[in-house]
Amino acid sequence: MQAFESVVPLLTRAQGYRGHVLARGIETPKVFNLIVLWRSLADHTPAFEASEDHEEFMRGIQAYLSEEPTVYHLEGGDLAAND
């Protein structure tokens, strides 16, 4: 998704950003899931969500959203990949 790649720098320079994964659903290829790892909940909300970078991030992908994104926060666990 080229639109997402253009806004990634806004995300990666955010305070507390630790990484992300953007994955397309297999059964639902029009659905994308974005998982962002933050150092703390406060780094995401209110810090990033209240920033101008977040506003620009959302403007950059708004045309590709069919509805308001669902945001939820998880605790624990690490992302791991096996090659």
Side-chain angles (χ1 to χ4, degrees):
M1 176 191 229
Q2 188 174 353
F4 181 75
E5 290 303 318
S6 70
V7 297
V8 165
L10 299 164
L11 182 62
T12 61
R13 71 182 180 204
Q15 176 182 319
Y17 168 86
R18 294 181 49 213
H20 73 273
V21 173
L22 178 66
R24 176 182 280 193
I26 293 172
E27 293 83 7
T28 54
K30 291 184 178 182
V31 175
F32 288 81
N33 292 278
L34 173 61
I35 299 172
V36 181
L37 301 175
W38 297 97
R39 181 184 56 212
S40 70
L41 178 59
D43 286 328
H44 177 238
T45 183
F48 181 64
E49 283 193 344
S51 72
E52 288 182 27
D53 278 355
H54 180 263
E55 288 181 28
E56 189 173 340
F57 178 88
M58 293 305 295
R59 277 193 303 272
I61 62 171
Q62 192 68 42
Y64 302 94
L65 301 176
S66 61
E67 60 187 59
E68 188 68 26
T70 301
V71 177
Y72 53 93
H73 298 93
L74 306 171
E75 187 172 57
D78 292 321
L79 292 179
N82 295 324
D83 293 319

